[in-house]
Amino acid sequence: MQIIIQSALLSVYHKDGLDTIVNHLHRLGVKIYATGGTFDFIQQMGIPVIAIEDITGYPSILGGRVKTLHPAVFGGILAIRNDPNHQSQMEEFKLPFLDLIVVDLYPFQETVVSGATEEEIIEKIDVGGISLIRAAAKNFNDVLIIPTVNDYPRLIDILENQDGKTSFEVRKSQALSAFKVSSSYDTAIFNWFASNDQDRNLIAIPSDWESKSLRYGENPHQKASYKGNLSEVFLQLHGKELSYNNLLDVDAALNLIHDFEEPTMAVIKHNNACGIASDASLLQAWEKALAGDPISAFGGVIVSNKMITKEIASSMNQLFFEVLMAPGFEVEALGILKGKKNRILLEIKSYTKSVQNFRTVLNGVLVQEPDNSTEKMEDMKVVTMKVPTSNEYNDLVFANKVVKHSKSNAIVLAKDGQLLASGVGQTSRIDALKQAIEKAKHFGFSIEGSVMASDAFFPFPDCIQIAHEAGVTSVIQPGGSLRDQDSIDEANKSGMAMVITNIRHFKH
């Protein structure tokens, strides 16, 4: 539904750019109401303007702390235009409808940064302005809210090019902008108060999130807590409380296993897969995953994408591990696994993953989309004379999924749906490869006929040469190096197959 702006309330701290808006409103015959300094600014322009006091019948009081907080103002904002009861009450109390609200809040964050006193900072907590923003945003069906000077260009376009006509979509979009401003402003205030209270957490969290204290963080001398709803992710069937490090590994394990549809089991240690395998038999998948690194599996986190049977439970029961996660457990399996009182057993639920990743950096936060790309055979471009066999293609897909979830720099060696070994978290790709080869040999694996996956391109052909000498026959990598052709040439020289995905999977 389109609405034509006929009345506007302006209450802004900074006046930059306001003259353009006021001139357009005057040109369109819009009745303008304003508060305090905004009223003075418009009056000095020689533009007709009505003081907010003329609506409320009260002057600005308490040193300017109370100006707009009055039913006469908020009635005009919150009244539903097509509601007969609202219409009659507006007429009864002679209240004006307000179609446009323009607000620029007190500069709270700037005041904090300036080194102002606590009293000065408190005075810059906007009350009336934030209330105007929320009220107008709530009634976006009838009212357009401009909650920040950053949205002035959009308003000027509406006034200049659309003669003050606003669509439902635009008003709803501005409501989103308004609640973002409101949320950010309140978070800044919360963080300022919290910074003076060392026992408080310095982030604002959704009200429906739980705040769970953990025994400690990564190390015993670090305090820690979890913010969120773990009960939405899994049901804890047995064992002690999850620790900070458990939760990191649980998260890594779930992210990894979600990329596999075929029966798969994995063992996670320090956020990396030390063993993982896919097999039509889940029991075989478990035995192959454990064989990948039975030493690192001690104290690890195990995850399955299929139900844990009695046979699997019996097979793994002698191993000490911290956590086992699966979408289900047979009754007999639970009876076996619950024999260790501290062993954590989690039944995975279907849950909505976060749509953004956050990481604190310096004095702020990095935000990015999750790496949701999982390349299939059709996403691979063969760049060598030799084409991967059907089995090699399957292993390339498998290895690429594993390397995606491994700390960079990362190299994965795999064969027949099993992780032979990986080199992770290395400062050079060649070191990662050497680590993977050495580890595979240490656990008795033959690398002959295996595939190699790299999370990023090969800057030089040396990795291809070393992999060939170890027995690798097929390689998957994203490509993108200026020296890609050198690696391709080395693969051709060695009779290897190589595919490029054009998708890098750095993980730091």
Side-chain angles (χ1 to χ4, degrees):
M1 181 178 66
Q2 204 170 61
I3 289 177
I4 300 175
I5 298 171
Q6 300 181 59
S7 60
L9 171 59
L10 281 57
S11 181
V12 302
Y13 186 86
H14 295 103
K15 310 302 187 290
D16 297 343
L18 184 63
D19 53 347
T20 302
I21 292 171
V22 171
N23 281 322
H24 279 303
L25 291 173
H26 179 58
R27 176 182 59 82
L28 293 171
V30 175
K31 184 175 290 188
I32 303 173
Y33 301 88
T35 63
T38 309
F39 173 83
D40 295 337
F41 177 86
I42 298 172
Q43 198 171 50
Q44 288 171 14
M45 291 177 61
I47 301 293
V49 58
I50 301 170
I52 198 69
E53 291 87 347
D54 291 341
I55 298 179
T56 65
Y58 282 88
S60 173
I61 62 174
L62 306 180
R65 282 191 165 198
V66 181
K67 294 189 288 284
T68 58
L69 297 173
H70 193 281
V73 175
F74 284 86
I77 299 172
L78 289 166
I80 298 173
R81 306 307 197 253
N82 62 2
D83 186 315
N85 290 328
H86 285 204
Q87 287 275 2
S88 64
Q89 288 183 60
M90 293 295 287
E91 292 174 7
E92 177 184 354
F93 297 108
K94 297 180 173 57
L95 305 180
F97 288 101
L98 297 171
D99 305 317
L100 167 67
I101 307 297
V102 181
V103 177
D104 177 45
L105 298 170
Y106 288 167
F108 177 82
Q109 288 173 283
E110 293 87 338
T111 305
V112 171
V113 173
S114 72
T117 65
E118 180 173 296
E119 182 180 357
E120 290 169 330
I121 292 171
I122 293 294
E123 286 306 312
K124 285 299 183 287
I125 297 177
D126 205 315
V127 177
I130 207 77
S131 301
L132 292 173
I133 288 174
R134 291 178 63 84
K138 176 178 179 176
N139 201 25
F140 67 86
N141 196 59
D142 296 311
V143 179
L144 175 66
I145 174 64
I146 303 297
T148 168
V149 294
N150 296 328
D151 288 345
Y152 280 8
R154 188 172 203 180
L155 175 59
I156 291 170
D157 175 68
I158 291 170
L159 299 175
E160 192 174 70
N161 301 316
Q162 300 168 53
D163 294 328
K165 297 174 183 176
T166 66
S167 67
F168 174 85
E169 291 74 21
V170 166
R171 294 193 301 277
K172 188 172 184 179
S173 173
Q174 282 304 118
L176 173 63
S177 175
F179 284 117
K180 179 181 179 182
V181 168
S182 172
S183 175
S184 299
Y185 196 77
D186 285 342
T187 298
I189 296 170
F190 170 88
N191 287 339
W192 178 74
F193 274 97
S195 67
N196 297 312
D197 187 343
Q198 297 304 314
D199 293 328
R200 301 255 181 161
N201 294 290
L202 302 186
I203 56 171
I205 62 173
S207 59
D208 63 338
W209 278 13
E210 301 167 1
S211 182
K212 181 179 178 61
S213 294
L214 304 175
R215 279 201 304 153
Y216 52 77
E218 283 187 282
N219 302 291
H221 64 277
Q222 294 172 269
K223 293 181 179 179
S225 60
Y226 175 79
K227 316 293 184 184
N229 295 324
L230 291 176
S231 59
E232 294 179 357
V233 181
F234 49 71
L235 173 65
Q236 182 160 351
L237 303 174
H238 184 70
K240 63 182 180 180
E241 288 192 352
L242 287 157
S243 70
Y244 182 96
N245 291 327
N246 286 156
L247 287 168
L248 290 176
D249 282 338
V250 163
D251 180 65
L254 288 176
N255 288 332
L256 171 64
I257 207 70
H258 279 153
D259 277 349
F260 292 85
E261 296 178 2
E262 58 275 27
T264 302
M265 291 197 69
V267 185
I268 305 297
K269 200 71 174 288
H270 297 296
N271 306 157
N272 293 296
C274 60
I276 179 170
S278 298
D279 196 285
S281 162
L282 192 64
L283 177 59
Q284 288 294 312
W286 159 245
E287 291 174 347
K288 289 162 70 175
L290 179 61
D293 187 346
I295 295 176
S296 295
F298 184 86
V301 168
I302 302 171
V303 64
S304 170
N305 62 356
K306 304 296 179 184
M307 179 176 285
I308 298 297
T309 63
K310 175 184 176 182
E311 291 74 23
I312 296 171
S314 297
S315 176
M316 65 172 53
N317 194 44
Q318 296 308 310
L319 174 70
F320 168 71
F321 57 87
E322 292 270 351
V323 182
L324 171 59
M325 295 183 289
F329 296 81
E330 289 184 352
V331 175
E332 295 89 344
L334 280 178
I336 294 169
L337 295 167
K338 287 183 177 180
K340 303 288 172 58
K341 68 175 184 178
N342 288 329
R343 179 181 284 163
I344 300 170
L345 304 177
L346 305 176
E347 184 175 304
I348 305 168
K349 297 181 179 180
S350 177
Y351 71 100
T352 303
K353 294 174 63 177
S354 297
V355 296
Q356 291 179 313
N357 292 335
F358 298 87
R359 179 179 292 187
T360 56
V361 172
L362 303 175
N363 62 344
V365 178
L366 286 173
V367 183
Q368 70 167 352
E369 296 177 345
D371 182 357
N372 291 323
S373 180
T374 304
E375 293 72 53
K376 301 179 177 63
M377 190 176 81
E378 53 266 32
D379 301 314
M380 302 174 187
K381 178 184 178 182
V382 179
V383 292
T384 50
M385 291 182 288
K386 181 184 177 184
V387 176
T389 66
S390 176
N391 285 340
E392 284 176 335
Y393 263 126
N394 290 335
D395 283 337
L396 289 171
V397 171
F398 173 88
N400 196 51
K401 290 178 181 179
V402 178
V403 83
K404 165 187 167 182
H405 294 279
S406 303
K407 295 287 186 180
S408 301
N409 287 307
I411 291 288
V412 162
L413 302 178
K415 184 178 179 181
D416 297 329
Q418 178 185 20
L419 172 65
L420 303 184
S422 61
V424 299
Q426 298 302 301
T427 52
S428 75
R429 200 151 302 282
I430 195 167
D431 283 345
L433 173 58
K434 289 178 178 178
Q435 181 189 59
I437 292 172
E438 180 181 348
K439 188 173 181 181
K441 290 180 177 179
H442 176 76
F443 288 111
F445 288 110
S446 169
I447 303 174
E448 195 67 39
S450 66
V451 306
M452 173 174 70
S454 176
D455 63 336
F457 64 66
F458 296 104
F460 304 103
D462 47 7
C463 283
I464 307 303
Q465 181 181 359
I466 293 171
H468 167 66
E469 292 171 353
V472 172
T473 57
S474 194
V475 179
I476 183 169
Q477 59 136 328
S481 169
L482 294 174
R483 296 173 176 268
D484 272 350
Q485 193 58 48
D486 292 349
S487 294
I488 295 170
D489 290 343
E490 184 63 37
N492 281 325
K493 175 183 172 183
S494 302
M496 303 169 70
M498 179 183 288
V499 300
I500 284 179
T501 64
N502 294 314
I503 299 292
R504 190 179 73 184
H505 288 300
F506 267 164
K507 185 182 180 188
H508 294 101

